[in-house]
Structures are given as structure tokens and as C-alpha cells.
Amino acid sequence: MVPGRGGERPSYDELAAVVVGLAARLDELSARVGGLEAENAALREENAVLRAENTDLRRRLGLNSKNSSKPPSSDGLDKPPPTSMRGRSGRKPGKQPGTSGTTLSQVAVPDEEIPHFPAVCAGCGDRLDPAAGPAAEPVIRQVFDVPEVQVRVTAHLLHLLACAGCGTRTRATAPAGVTGPAVYGPIVTMLAAYLAAQHHIPVARITEILADLAGIEVSPGWVMTACARMAASVAPANEAIKDAITAAPVAHFDETVTRVAGRNHWLHAAATGRLTAYHIDEHGRAVASMTAFGILPRFTGVAVHDAYSGYDGFTTATHALCNAHILREATGIGEFDPQARTDGWAEDLVNLLGDAHRWVAHWRTRDHTALPPFKLDDLFTRYDRLVERALRIHPARPGRQTPARNLALRLRDRKPEFLRFATDFTVTFSNNVAEQAVRMVKSKTRVSGGFRTLTGAQTFLSIRGYISTIRKNGLRTATELRNALLGNPWMPPTVA
């Protein structure tokens, strides 16, 4: 009760005034509560954004070559220990019984024989006479070595003969590569180009190697000219290699960044188990560069690659996506996404793809060309359920989606391409064939920091692709590079 004046009961007007005051106070408190609720909602929203940013930053900081598409070269000192999807085979490490080895063995006809006779008797100390003849067959010890490298100068005498009939005088034509009064031969040229393209040795160090090993004094400019000459010599073979990849039933494609003239440039690789080709130009990663490469526009087989959208425009090919990328991506999501880590769908996806990889290896040994229907049904059912789980756990949100949802959407929308390795055993589980082709090119960037000119990059890749193809076919690199300089480069078969 609100007291009135003198302890009397309050009048109506007094009560009305109190009610009006309380109502005003309630309105004030309601306004404050509304403001606090709005502020709280804003703080919650800001907190959610910050938590998402923190999660994303933690994810980025934790990315490495095992849980993302980052190259191993970016791992630095925090490089994780190597892991493998392969289970234990039960075999001991090292060479397996029955496999071919590389043990050094004696040859039947050596290049040189040097007889050795004992000078004195090991029993009494008397001198021994070799003329008396050996008492038994000698013990043979053979030494395999490279002879001392020395420059051998060959003079080509280009004679001039006069025709007895018309009197025209004709001079002999110089052999291939003999273009001046004094030139280095194909082996020196081959060695310089080989060291530059295959082993990423800087030009200045190549001049040191030639001087130290063979006494050949050349300039850095000569080494660059030698590489350009080598690239021109293998150019016909590289065109034939591209044609052979185009005709292949399955080919692998990849792209990566390298530095040219201080700027990032994208180089493209196309490869099979026996062929390798490279391309780089000013178009970067764009479809224009892939088109200029000249393989995908004509390719009608199965193209294995990553999920870069630029490949999708080449509709004459059947596409297959690299599952190694998915394994790394799912591993990263399982490590850094709280919802995925709690649910475990990313880990289950890795296990499922690992099972499928092993199933394919097993059924291939039984001469199957695809997984049997009951295995495919099991694979597809488990795959679909995992994708549904992932989409349910990671619902759509305004703006940019989480990496987990993006992966789930890609798995849903491109299921046939991801699982093509299970329905067609000619298709591999991963894109390692192409990734290995670009991996060593990245070593060139680490060694020298990049290429000074686009022409230099194209020269390097031209030689590198030819050497890679030669090695894949079990041929001797030095021999085939020399043959190319002499006008007889190795040519691939029509189909890779």
C-alpha cells in the first residue's frame, strides 16, 4: 500500500501518479533490456564471426602437404612425419626375393687386362719367375671406372672438288652441328643442357663443372646457347609426345606456379606413364593457356586432374578427379573444423576411400576391369551417406561457405569423377603421374628463384619434358640427347 498524507489511504490521483511513474520506469527498463538484447545479439554474432575467423586462421596455420594441396616444399622445419595409406604387407624392408637387382657383376670381355705376378715366394722368400708359367688359373678382379675426361679435337676437312664435265667446283658439306671454324661438339653441348634441365644446376656452376672435369673453358652465354640448341633439337620429338598423349586412353594433367622475370607464371604438365610434356606462356592458369598447350582441345580419353574449373570446359574428354586431394582436404577438415571433428565424417571419408583403393588393388589382381557390382553398391551407398552427413552438419550460411561444406558439395556434385577409379581400372586413384612431373620443376624455383625470361623457362621445360619421357621409356638420357643434337631425336609410339 502506498501511504497517503498523514497515514491516510492514497487518493485515486496519487495512485494514478504512482502508476504513471512505474509505467515510465517499466518503459525505461524495457528499452534498456531491448538495447541490451540487441547488443548481446550483436556480440553473439561478432563472437561467431571471430570464432569462425579463429578457426579458419588455425586451419590455415596448420595446413601442410599432408592435409592440404600445399606442396611439400612449403612445409619448412615443421614438416610432418611421412604417412602412407598403404597397410603393412608383412614383408621385410629392402629388396624382395626374386626381384631384379643392380649388383655389380664381372663382364666376359673386359676392355683391358693387366696381369699381376708375385715377386717372391710366400713360403721361402725366393724370387719367382713369371716365365715359368702360372701354377693355376688367375683370380680375376675387375674394376669399373670412367676414363679421365679429356677434350678430343676432330678436324673436319671440307675438300673442294671440280666437276670434270662442267667445271663446277663443289665443297663438301659439314656434318650436323659443325657450324664454324671451332665449335664444341654434341657431347659437350648435351652435358651442359642435361645439367641445367635435369639437375637444376645454375649456369655459372655448369661452367665450373666443365672446366674442372674436362678442362673446357666456356662462358655462361655459351651454356644458354647450348640449352637453346638442345631445345630446338628435341622440338620435333616434343610435338610427337604431345600428339601421343592426345591419343592416349588416359592422361594426367596438372598446373603449378613458378617465377618468370620476377612474376608468377603458371606452367602446365600433361603426362602418362611413358610420356611427359610441359607448357608455359603469358596466359597463366587460364583456359587460353591450356588451349595453347594443344592437348586437351583434341583429347577424347579420360583426363585425370584436380578440381580446377578450367578443365571442365574441355567436353570431349571424360574427366576423373584426384582422390589424393580429397584425402588431404578431409584430413585438414577433420583436424581443424570442430563440427567435423566431433562427428567424425571426414575421418570416415578417408577410411572409405582407403578401403576403395585397396578393393581396386585386390580385384585388379583377379583380372577385373572394374569393381564387381556388389562392391560398387557398397561403395556408392557409404559414399552418399557420408556426403549427406557432411551437408547436414555443415548447413548453408550467408556469404562464403566453410571449407567443409564446399568439400561436401564437391563430393556430391562430382561423385562420378571422384569414383571413376573404381568403375574403370585404367584410371588411377590419384593424379600422382602429373604431380610428380611438376614437382621437380618446383625444385628449379627453389634452386635459382625462377627464370629470368619466358623464353628461358620454355627452353628448360622443353628439354625437361624430353628427358622425362626418355627416362620413362628406359632409354639412356645422354645417348638420346646426343642423337637429338645430331638430327635423330627419339620419337614416341603413336599411342602412349
Side-chain angles (χ1 to χ4, degrees), residues 293-364:
F293 197 176
I295 296 178
L296 278 170
R298 302 179 290 150
F299 188 70
T300 57
V302 179
V304 184
H305 50 79
D306 57 27
Y308 171 50
S309 61
Y311 293 106
D312 300 340
F314 298 98
T315 55
T316 59
T318 301
H319 295 272
L321 296 179
C322 174
N323 284 277
H325 281 73
I326 298 304
L327 293 179
R328 293 192 292 264
E329 198 170 346
T331 299
I333 289 171
E335 290 178 359
F336 302 111
D337 189 289
Q339 288 79 21
R341 185 168 60 247
T342 300
D343 179 81
W345 71 265
E347 182 179 357
D348 292 343
L349 175 64
V350 171
N351 292 334
L352 174 61
L353 291 177
D355 287 344
H357 184 262
R358 287 183 284 273
W359 296 343
V360 169
H362 169 75
W363 288 99
R364 184 181 280 118

Side-chain angles (χ1 to χ4, degrees), residues 65-107:
S65 60
K66 299 299 181 183
N67 59 22
S68 72
S69 297
K70 296 178 66 176
S73 59
S74 66
D75 288 341
L77 297 178
D78 294 329
K79 186 173 184 177
T83 58
S84 176
M85 284 182 54
R86 294 178 296 178
R88 294 186 177 275
S89 63
R91 297 179 295 182
K92 295 181 179 179
K95 179 181 176 297
Q96 301 302 310
T99 59
S100 59
T102 56
T103 303
L104 186 63
S105 302
Q106 291 189 346
V107 298

Side-chain angles (χ1 to χ4, degrees), residues 471-483:
R471 292 170 63 87
K472 286 181 177 181
N473 285 272
L475 303 174
R476 189 179 177 191
T477 302
T479 300
E480 297 307 327
L481 288 176
R482 178 179 178 275
N483 289 342

Side-chain angles (χ1 to χ4, degrees), residues 393-422:
I393 293 165
H394 307 281
R397 66 181 188 181
R400 183 180 178 184
Q401 303 301 307
T402 63
R405 181 168 180 82
N406 286 334
L407 173 60
L409 291 171
R410 200 179 326 128
L411 291 170
R412 182 196 66 186
D413 297 341
R414 310 198 69 171
K415 172 184 172 182
E417 290 115 310
F418 281 120
L419 299 184
R420 199 171 301 282
F421 75 97

Side-chain angles (χ1 to χ4, degrees), residues 125-194:
D126 286 349
R127 295 188 62 80
L128 298 176
D129 184 8
E137 290 297 318
V139 174
I140 300 175
R141 307 282 175 85
Q142 292 185 349
V143 177
F144 292 71
D145 205 349
V146 176
E148 181 181 357
V149 180
Q150 293 182 338
V151 176
R152 184 171 179 267
V153 180
T154 300
H156 295 273
L157 309 179
L158 308 180
H159 289 284
L160 183 70
L161 297 178
C163 177
C166 67
T168 301
R169 300 196 301 174
T170 305
R171 190 172 298 280
T173 303
V178 184
T179 56
V183 297
Y184 286 110
I187 293 180
V188 179
T189 304
M190 172 275 298
L191 183 59
Y194 171 74

